[in-house]
Amino acid sequence: MVNDSNAESYLSPFSCSFCRGCFEHFLDGTYDFLNGFIASDGCLQPQRVYDNWKNYLKREDDFCYQFNTPRVYDEAALGMYRQELADLKHAVERWANYVTNDKLIEAIKVYNETRRLLRELYALRKGDAPLVTGEECLRITLASMSMRKDTFNELLSAFLEEARQREPITDYRARLMLIGSSCDSPEYLKIFEDKGGLFVTDVNCYGSRYLYDDVEIDEKDPLAGIARSYLARPVCGRMCNLHHELRDTILEMAKEYNVEGVVYTKMKNCDMWGGESFFLDDAIRDAGLSLLILEREEITANAGQVGIRAEAFVEMIETGGAD
Amino acid sequence: MNEERKEYWRWAESRWTNPEISDWQGRTITAGVDIGSTSTQAVILVDGELFAYSNMRTGSDSPESANHAMAWALEGTGMTLDDLQYTIGTGYGRVNVPFADKCITEITCHARGANRIYGPSVRTILDMGGQDCKAIHCDERGRVTSFMMNDKCAAGTGRGMEAIANLLGVDIGEIGDRSFQVEEEPKPVSSMCVVFAKAEVAALMRSGWSKEMVLAAYCRAMAIRVCKLLTRNKMEPDFAITGGIAKNKGVVKRIEEIMGVTALEPQGYDTQIAGALGAAIIAIDMLKKKRARGG
């Protein structure tokens, strides 16, 4: 994204630039191929996008829906989440076609196959000589979220076969992990990788979220299975009673992938990942990992400034300066 | 009215040669060149000892600035560019040093330079440069353990101070002393954006503030801003300031007061050469590695 000035007329410059970017693409026609938009209230900002999107809907019969997501994990929240999924299902049925249990179970199986393949993709990054860069991996996971999963599964299977025959990457200087606010910008990762860093894993909405356990198939009530699987994942800073689980997930993943440095990006004005610092910063340093905290905006206009921080961070890891 | 207009911001360029080193032939000679946004330094070491340096303003052409700075450092020493066995470029223009063997960021170099200038006890370093500011934490060998830089804006850096010097017509070297010639410390200027701060300063002057009061208010605002950066990184009592602003007592004393620490003394070194000095020290390690590889 290079410009979000149109969206700034609707959403304050003090809002999340990722959300502004989404609305900019609605305004500039990039998203005209979409027939529907579902916003979740994981944080406040997508709600404002929903308000504007609904108000300026381009075609009368387009689908526009606000999905409410719990911010705690407990029995009551599970019930509420299950109900929200049922409401969404009914809304989709009113707009398009019936969503039967059989169709849901079939879709869960296809999605679980995506998860299995993405786990294989991430496994290619574990060893001393990884086969894919972080930038490439993010491009692949982004594709998984913007195309039909069955088509994606075929393409990823072919890619994995090809990738296993590649020359491994051995000329990197530091093994990095990306955490923090949603990052859908492979270019951002490339800034670090051009400076000698190599992202080997992440805890990022657009990256490793599919790595978690398969969604359980509840034959009688597939929506309940989806609710249980999704809500228990310690993947999002919005979950008020899963902070320690999120921290542990990050540390375990760092260990599993032999990470040396964590790049913690916070979207400017992101309350959730901004506040998560309280739970994460010391824990990451105490685990012997180097930590770089950077504020980010969806528009990568300061690549040079990020570059110098990236280069210095790689040097810091390389010279063994971490505590 | 042909009188040339005085440039109050213009700080003194300088060069120095170590009178105690004359027999440099056959010894290990390394160099560092730090091309910053505002100033450029070239440092030459002989067997790790400071042999010569220059400190001058960065021009519009980075390679030319590097050439000029090194030529001035070499001037009168009998040494030539060919005698430099390993050179490291650092600073914003690090990739534009034509005769460098390698480039390394100024963050890494400043930590190593500060380790030499202030001694191995230094842990927290504040590098106040021309257009950015960095809080660096390092270990006893000058290796960076964490760092933080100001984001996006040049506010609260040397360039801002230069703009205020020009606006008030006060020589930049006098700002520190004059900022203490006030009966009572005024409130800091509220805007740190250089453009807005200049407007605010003009308004304060119109309302009857003396130049000294304005300087005190600006130095305090700058100190408050960089102290936030220090607090966000890792602040330890063994604290030192590098870069041009380290020469401005008006800012340094106020930082000390706010943070409750006393900045370490630079042991006779020019604080502006920290980056280039660190680069020249790292160049010694690089040269050893190169020789070990048979290069």
Side-chain angles (χ1 to χ4, degrees), chain B residues 149-214:
Chain B
M149 291 175 77
N150 66 321
D151 287 318
K152 295 179 180 66
C153 177
T157 61
R159 190 69 196 98
M161 192 59 86
E162 287 178 0
I164 296 299
N166 237 20
L167 183 70
L168 295 180
V170 175
D171 277 329
I172 194 136
E174 293 176 13
I175 284 181
D177 284 336
R178 287 187 63 175
S179 76
F180 290 114
Q181 292 167 12
V182 288
E183 285 178 15
E184 196 181 337
E185 182 83 350
K187 283 185 180 171
V189 292
S190 58
S191 179
M192 280 312 293
C193 165
V194 177
V195 178
F196 290 135
K198 278 175 76 175
E200 192 175 338
V201 163
L204 289 172
M205 294 295 289
R206 278 199 301 275
S207 70
W209 279 38
S210 66
K211 287 182 182 179
E212 286 72 17
M213 282 173 74
V214 172

Side-chain angles (χ1 to χ4, degrees), chain B:
Chain B
M1 297 296 283
N2 288 332
E3 193 182 332
E4 201 174 307
R5 196 171 168 204
K6 190 172 176 191
E7 294 175 304
Y8 295 95
W9 57 265
R10 195 173 277 281
W11 41 267
E13 296 180 334
S14 58
R15 76 164 303 284
W16 177 84
T17 309
N18 189 340
E20 291 170 13
I21 302 176
S22 52
D23 54 334
W24 48 265
Q25 270 103 344
R27 297 168 71 180
T28 299
I29 300 168
T30 60
V33 180
D34 181 358
I35 305 184
S37 60
T38 305
S39 65
T40 296
Q41 294 81 27
V43 165
I44 302 163
L45 301 182
V46 172
D47 283 344
E49 252 188 280
L50 187 57
F51 172 66
Y53 74 76
S54 67
N55 175 22
M56 59 199 298
R57 286 197 74 79
T58 300
S60 56
D61 182 316
S62 291
E64 206 172 282
S65 297
N67 287 332
H68 282 161
M70 185 51 80
W72 200 25
L74 290 167
E75 199 176 287
T77 62
M79 200 181 269
T80 68
L81 212 52
D82 292 337
D83 295 312
L84 307 180
Q85 290 153 10
Y86 205 99
T87 303
I88 288 179
T90 188
Y92 276 100
R94 62 190 174 281
V95 295
N96 291 319
V97 180
F99 47 90
D101 297 279
K102 189 179 172 69
C103 59
I104 290 178
T105 64
E106 60 271 33
I107 294 166
T108 303
C109 292
H110 267 273
R112 285 296 284 274
N115 180 269
R116 167 70 68 89
I117 293 174
Y118 298 96
S121 71
V122 67
R123 289 291 174 278
T124 300
I125 301 153
L126 180 64
D127 169 35
M128 297 186 72
Q131 288 191 27
D132 74 17
C133 190
K134 308 171 192 79
I136 305 166
H137 187 269
C138 68
D139 65 11
E140 74 287 352
R141 291 168 58 191
R143 297 179 308 182
V144 178
T145 51
S146 66
F147 66 89
M148 196 153 270
M149 291 175 77
N150 66 321
D151 287 318
K152 295 179 180 66
C153 177
T157 61
R159 190 69 196 98
M161 192 59 86
E162 287 178 0
I164 296 299
N166 237 20
L167 183 70
L168 295 180
V170 175
D171 277 329
I172 194 136
E174 293 176 13
I175 284 181
D177 284 336
R178 287 187 63 175
S179 76
F180 290 114
Q181 292 167 12
V182 288
E183 285 178 15
E184 196 181 337
E185 182 83 350
K187 283 185 180 171
V189 292
S190 58
S191 179
M192 280 312 293
C193 165
V194 177
V195 178
F196 290 135
K198 278 175 76 175
E200 192 175 338
V201 163
L204 289 172
M205 294 295 289
R206 278 199 301 275
S207 70
W209 279 38
S210 66
K211 287 182 182 179
E212 286 72 17
M213 282 173 74
V214 172
L215 290 172
Y218 192 77
C219 288
R220 175 155 291 272
M222 191 182 270
I224 290 170
R225 183 182 165 95
V226 297
C227 286
K228 282 179 187 161
L229 195 69
L230 281 170
T231 311
R232 279 165 65 200
N233 198 37
K234 203 171 177 181
M235 184 66 196
E236 289 201 39
D238 284 303
F239 161 71
I241 307 178
T242 60
I245 297 283
K247 297 173 181 174
N248 183 326
K249 273 192 287 184
V251 178
V252 172
K253 295 285 175 203
R254 287 177 174 89
I255 293 171
E256 290 179 336
E257 180 213 313
I258 295 166
M259 298 304 292
V261 294
T262 304
L264 295 168
E265 289 295 324
Q267 300 175 11
Y269 285 90
D270 183 331
T271 55
Q272 265 183 290
I273 67 163
L277 176 62
I281 293 169
I282 296 169
I284 301 170
D285 298 339
M286 295 295 166
L287 183 61
K288 279 181 195 161
K289 279 186 192 172
K290 188 181 163 188
R291 284 176 175 162
R293 286 196 303 265

